[in-house]
Amino acid sequence: MQKRMPYDDVAWAKSDDTFNEWKEKLYTEQSFKAIGELIANHRGGIPTELCAPLRGSFNVCLRMKFEDGGSAMIRFPCPGVVMFPEEKIRNEVAVMRFLEQNTSIPVPHVIYYGTKDESPCGLGPFIIMDYIEHTHDLVDALNTPGLTLNDRPVLDPHISTERLEFVYSQMCDILLELHKHSFTRIGSLSGTDKDYWAVTSRPLTLNMNELVQLGNFPRSQLPSTFFSTTSTYMQALADMHLMHLATQRNDAIDSANDCRRKYIARHLFRRLTSQSCLSNVETSKLFCCDLRPSNVLMNKDFKIVAVIDWEFTYTAPVGFAYCPPWWLLLEAPEYWSAGLFDWAATYEPRLRTFLRVLEMREEAAIQRGILDHSQKLSRHMRESWENGRFWEHYGARKSWAFDAIFWSWIDPKYFSDGDWFEDRIQLLEKGERNGLEDFVRRKLEEREKRVLQHWDMEEPDSRFSNDHGGVTSDNHHMELDCMKQQDCQ
C-alpha cells in the first residue's frame, strides 16, 4: 500500500515554537484590552463581553458581544502556521467581498481589515467580521457517532439517505454558485472597485503554505505572479513537486529505493505536464483548497448559515472545479487507513448520491432561471472521476499525497505495465538518469543530520544543478542551482 510522504518533523516543531511564542504575547491584559477597543471602534455599539480566544487550523479568533444582541469577530493568522499572513488576509477579504456581492453563498460580512502595523500590540494582520450564530458545522451532520474531537472524522456508514441528500443539496448550490464565474488567468482575485474584479497576483494555495511551513520549502522559489495558461501552471506544480523532494531534508524518504521511486515519479509527472497531457482547457474558475465540512456552519436544523475560511481561494484551472469534492467521506484519500483503493471503493456510492442530487439542483436552478445549461457541473464531475482526471488534479495539488496517487493511479494510466525501476528509468532524459544516484546519496546523507536548511539567493551550489536532480523552470524562477545553503541547528 502506497503511503503519503511525511511532513518534516523538525520544520513542524519550529512552526509550533513560533506559534507558542506568539500566543504568550496574545494572552496579556494589554493585548485583550487593545483588541476589544479595536473591534468596538470599527463595529460600533456598546460592547458587553470579549470571549476567550479560539484557535482553528490557521487562525485565532476572538468574539466580542454587543448590547444590541449582535457580535463581531477578529481573526489573526496563526504565526508559524500561516507563512504569508498579509497576502492571506488580502486574498481572503477580496474573495469574501466578491462572494457577498456576486453570489448567494452566505459569508460573514467584512467590517474592516488591517496590516500588522495597524494591529493591536503588533499581533499581526487581522480581519474584523460579523460573527455568525451557529449550532453545528457540516462535520457534525455527517460524522460517525462516537468519534471524539481527537479522532479524524469519517462519514457515518449508516447515515440516512434523507440526511445525506439534505446536506448534499445545500453544498451543491454552493459549488454551482462558484462555478458560474469564469476568468482568463490563474491567480488571486482583487477588486479595484465595487463592480470590477481582476486576477492580478499569484495563486496562493494551501499546498504552498504547507510546503514552507512543513517542508521548509524556499519561499523565493514559489510562483511569484499569475499564470496565463493552464499548461504553464501545471508545469509549475510539477516543478514544485520536484523541488519539494530536493529541499525537504527530514522525513522525505524511507530508503534509497523510496528515494528513487519519488525521483522517478516526479520527473515522469513533469513530462506529462510539459506535454499538456493533464489539462488542455484554458478557462479558470474560483476554487477553494480549504472548502471542507468543518468550514461550513449550520443551524440546529442543519441548514447552512455561513461558509468561512476562504483564504486559500484562487482562480484555478477549470479541471480542478470539475473534480468531484473529495470530502464526501470527510476523510481525505491519503489519510484513509485502508489505502487509496479502499477509499475509492467506499467513495463511489456516495459520489453517485452526490451527483444525483447535483443533477436535481441543476435542473431546479435552470427552471428558476438562475443557471444556464452551460454552467452545469454534474457531467464534468462524473467524467473527471471516470477518466481519472480527479486523481491527476488531486495529485498535482497535494505534494505529500503525490507519490501514493502517482503510483496507484497516474503511472498505470500513462505508462502501463512493467517494472517501476528498470522500465521507468529508461523513460527519463539522460541527464535525469545520470543524476539519480548522486541525488539518492545526498538525500540519504541529509536525513541523518536532522537539521533545517537556511535558504538565500546569493551563490550557486552545484549539488542542486540540473544534471544532479535539480529542478528548473524558466518562467517561475525555480532554479535550485542558484541557491546558497547553510545548515542551521
Side-chain angles (χ1 to χ4, degrees):
M1 183 172 69
Q2 293 290 330
K3 299 184 300 181
R4 63 181 295 278
M5 180 176 169
Y7 296 132
D8 185 327
D9 272 349
V10 181
W12 200 341
K14 180 183 178 183
S15 169
D16 288 343
D17 290 343
T18 301
F19 176 75
N20 289 332
E21 290 175 8
W22 177 85
K23 188 168 67 172
E24 292 182 5
K25 186 177 181 180
L26 169 68
Y27 277 82
T28 66
E29 182 178 350
Q30 179 186 8
S31 292
F32 289 148
K33 182 180 179 181
I35 289 170
E37 290 175 350
L38 181 70
I39 298 173
N41 287 340
H42 287 289
R43 194 269 188 186
I46 301 173
T48 59
E49 180 185 359
L50 181 65
C51 301
L54 294 175
R55 181 183 173 181
S57 298
F58 299 101
N59 304 282
V60 169
C61 307
L62 295 92
R63 174 189 180 186
M64 175 164 272
K65 298 179 181 180
F66 287 82
E67 196 174 72
D68 59 18
S71 295
M73 174 174 283
I74 189 169
R75 296 167 75 240
F76 296 98
C78 297
V81 178
V82 175
M83 298 293 101
F84 310 95
E86 303 276 359
E87 185 178 4
K88 167 201 177 297
I89 291 289
R90 289 195 304 272
N91 290 354
E92 184 170 19
V93 169
V95 170
M96 291 174 69
R97 287 178 169 170
F98 177 87
L99 295 176
E100 185 177 37
Q101 295 171 18
N102 296 283
T103 77
S104 61
I105 298 172
V107 298
H109 173 70
V110 175
I111 298 171
Y112 187 78
Y113 75 101
T115 65
K116 182 178 180 178
D117 291 340
E118 301 175 71
S119 69
C121 302
L123 289 170
F126 60 91
I127 305 177
I128 301 174
M129 63 183 71
D130 286 342
Y131 175 82
I132 306 298
E133 296 283 353
H134 61 283
T135 308
H136 308 284
D137 61 32
L138 185 52
V139 174
D140 299 323
L142 302 176
N143 202 13
T144 301
L147 294 180
T148 70
L149 291 176
N150 294 325
D151 296 319
R152 296 184 66 87
V154 177
L155 179 70
D156 179 5
H158 306 297
I159 193 170
S160 69
T161 301
E162 181 182 16
R163 165 68 66 84
L164 207 57
E165 291 180 349
F166 179 69
V167 170
Y168 281 176
S169 66
Q170 298 177 76
M171 292 303 293
C172 287
D173 291 343
I174 289 170
L175 293 174
L176 288 171
E177 281 292 308
L178 288 175
H179 190 63
K180 287 180 181 179
H181 305 278
S182 298
F183 303 85
T184 57
R185 292 173 173 174
I186 295 167
S188 294
L189 202 60
S190 65
T192 56
D193 57 50
K194 185 175 180 180
D195 299 317
Y196 181 77
W197 297 86
V199 177
T200 58
S201 57
R202 69 176 180 177
L204 180 63
T205 69
L206 175 57
N207 192 66
M208 287 165 60
N209 188 84
E210 288 189 335
L211 281 171
V212 177
Q213 178 203 0
L214 301 171
N216 197 40
F217 192 98
R219 296 168 182 247
S220 60
Q221 304 306 298
L222 292 170
S224 59
T225 187
F226 59 81
F227 294 80
S228 298
T229 67
T230 296
S231 59
T232 56
Y233 182 60
M234 295 298 288
Q235 289 173 49
L237 294 181
D239 285 340
M240 281 191 279
H241 283 336
L242 266 163
M243 186 172 289
H244 175 210
L245 179 62
T247 57
Q248 180 174 324
R249 292 181 63 101
N250 307 301
D251 310 300
I253 62 167
D254 295 333
S255 64
N257 265 351
D258 181 53
C259 186
R260 293 182 184 102
R261 287 176 68 90
K262 287 172 175 172
Y263 178 99
I264 290 171
R266 283 159 176 74
H267 279 285
L268 291 179
F269 187 73
R270 185 168 65 170
R271 173 174 298 183
L272 292 176
T273 62
S274 67
Q275 296 170 348
S276 299
C277 294
L278 304 184
S279 188
N280 55 10
V281 181
E282 295 304 337
T283 302
S284 61
K285 298 283 186 177
L286 277 176
F287 180 81
C288 179
C289 303
D290 204 27
L291 182 58
R292 53 192 170 98
S294 60
N295 291 334
V296 180
L297 308 182
M298 313 186 91
N299 65 17
K300 62 182 178 61
D301 300 316
F302 292 109
K303 293 183 179 179
I304 294 175
V305 294
V307 184
I308 60 172
D309 290 358
W310 295 93
E311 54 260 75
F312 299 114
T313 302
Y314 60 105
T315 59
V318 69
F320 290 11
Y322 286 168
C323 292
W326 63 265
W327 48 258
L328 299 186
L329 298 181
L330 299 186
E331 182 61 289
E334 65 269 29
Y335 287 99
W336 194 255
S337 59
L340 290 178
F341 294 116
D342 186 80
W343 184 92
T346 308
Y347 179 84
E348 280 194 335
R350 304 307 186 183
L351 176 60
R352 288 195 292 270
T353 300
F354 179 84
L355 291 177
R356 175 167 50 81
V357 173
L358 178 57
E359 288 170 342
M360 290 190 295
R361 300 307 299 169
E362 288 171 338
E363 291 306 317
I366 290 171
Q367 290 298 318
R368 292 170 56 198
I370 61 174
L371 188 75
D372 188 81
H373 281 278
S374 64
Q375 297 171 327
K376 294 174 68 172
L377 265 174
S378 54
R379 176 176 63 85
H380 297 297
M381 286 189 171
R382 182 175 288 106
E383 289 177 354
S384 176
W385 181 256
E386 292 175 349
N387 64 22
R389 292 289 196 199
F390 170 89
W391 293 109
E392 294 162 14
H393 291 142
Y394 193 89
R397 296 191 296 108
K398 299 276 192 172
S399 291
W400 283 273
F402 170 77
D403 297 283
I405 289 169
F406 179 87
W407 292 109
S408 297
W409 300 98
I410 300 174
D411 177 74
K413 176 178 178 179
Y414 288 98
F415 303 108
S416 191
D417 299 325
D419 181 77
W420 73 265
F421 183 73
E422 295 298 336
D423 293 299
R424 296 300 179 268
I425 197 171
Q426 298 306 316
L427 299 176
L428 303 185
E429 299 292 337
K430 181 179 179 181
E432 296 166 350
R433 290 197 302 271
N434 292 342
L436 172 58
E437 292 308 316
D438 282 346
F439 184 83
V440 171
R441 190 176 304 110
R442 177 171 63 79
K443 296 304 291 183
L444 290 172
E445 292 173 356
E446 287 177 352
R447 73 171 187 163
E448 300 300 322
K449 296 181 180 180
R450 306 300 298 173
V451 296
L452 287 182
Q453 200 78 24
H454 173 71
W455 301 105
D456 60 48
M457 297 292 294
E458 296 176 2
E459 298 176 5
D461 188 318
S462 61
R463 290 186 297 167
F464 283 99
S465 70
N466 204 41
D467 290 338
H468 292 83
V471 184
T472 61
S473 172
D474 292 336
N475 291 332
H476 301 288
H477 311 292
M478 301 183 69
E479 297 89 351
L480 277 176
D481 53 342
C482 67
M483 305 182 68
K484 181 182 178 182
Q485 319 171 64
Q486 297 171 358
D487 290 341
C488 298
Q489 297 294 339

